[in-house]
Amino acid sequence: CTATDAVGNTGVCTFKVTVKDEEKPTIAPPSDITVSTNTGSCEAANVQLGTPSTADNCAGPLEVTNDAPAVFPKGETTVKWTVTDTSGNSASATQKVTVNDTEKPSITAPVNVAVSTDPGSCAATNVDLGTPTTADNCAVAGVTNDAPASFPKGMTTVIWTITDTSGNTA
């Protein structure tokens, strides 16, 4: 920097100008996604989240991270994406990952039952049908059957139904 007065005298000095990048980068997360649980599991692994869109006012590499778990549980999980520029400025955005249980539960009916009619009747009541074998990748909500209170003489088919906590039935 040089200054000159009216008679021609000059003075010289120096100073530094420091330019700081204080502008945050931008980030747009990948779209929200919905996936199914892995077969035989109540979770989803290897979920492909996609790639966020990022930008910054200064050149240089951007660091992009997320807090996604390796395995997503059934339900909704929010993933936080963060972008950081070379000046340490950062911005965040979120993506929702929904994991649905679409796997049907399994049920095996108990063994066939043969009973005698009730005394003085042509039907049988209080028949012990047994218990079916059930399983589900998440949890069983209930097991029902369409058995009548009184079985008439002859063969009656009983239909067993299992429902899991996600509303899937078999």
Side-chain angles (χ1 to χ4, degrees):
C1 174
T2 303
T4 305
D5 65 14
V7 294
N9 297 318
T10 61
V12 177
C13 69
T14 61
F15 61 92
K16 294 180 182 179
V17 175
T18 303
V19 178
K20 293 183 178 181
D21 173 18
E22 295 181 350
E23 187 174 330
K24 292 181 178 186
T26 61
I27 185 168
S31 297
D32 294 345
I33 59 173
T34 300
V35 298
S36 293
T37 55
N38 295 118
T39 302
S41 174
C42 199
E43 303 168 321
N46 302 314
V47 174
Q48 301 300 312
L49 298 175
T51 303
S53 175
T54 60
D56 192 41
N57 61 316
C58 291
L62 296 173
E63 178 185 358
V64 179
T65 59
N66 68 56
D67 65 355
V71 177
F72 287 84
K74 180 181 109 172
E76 186 176 280
T77 300
T78 300
V79 175
K80 181 179 178 181
W81 289 88
T82 302
V83 60
T84 305
D85 66 17
T86 56
S87 297
N89 301 308
S90 64
S92 297
T94 59
Q95 173 189 26
K96 290 182 183 173
V97 176
T98 303
V99 177
N100 290 330
D101 171 21
T102 58
E103 188 173 335
K104 291 182 179 259
S106 66
I107 187 167
T108 302
V111 298
N112 292 337
V113 177
V115 296
S116 298
T117 58
D118 293 343
S121 174
C122 198
T125 58
N126 298 317
V127 176
D128 182 2
L129 298 176
T131 303
T133 302
T134 61
D136 187 62
N137 61 314
C138 289
V140 174
V143 177
T144 60
N145 66 55
D146 67 350
S150 176
F151 287 86
K153 177 182 155 203
M155 185 182 297
T156 302
T157 299
V158 175
I159 298 173
W160 290 86
T161 303
I162 181 175
T163 305
D164 70 12
T165 55
S166 296
N168 300 309
T169 62

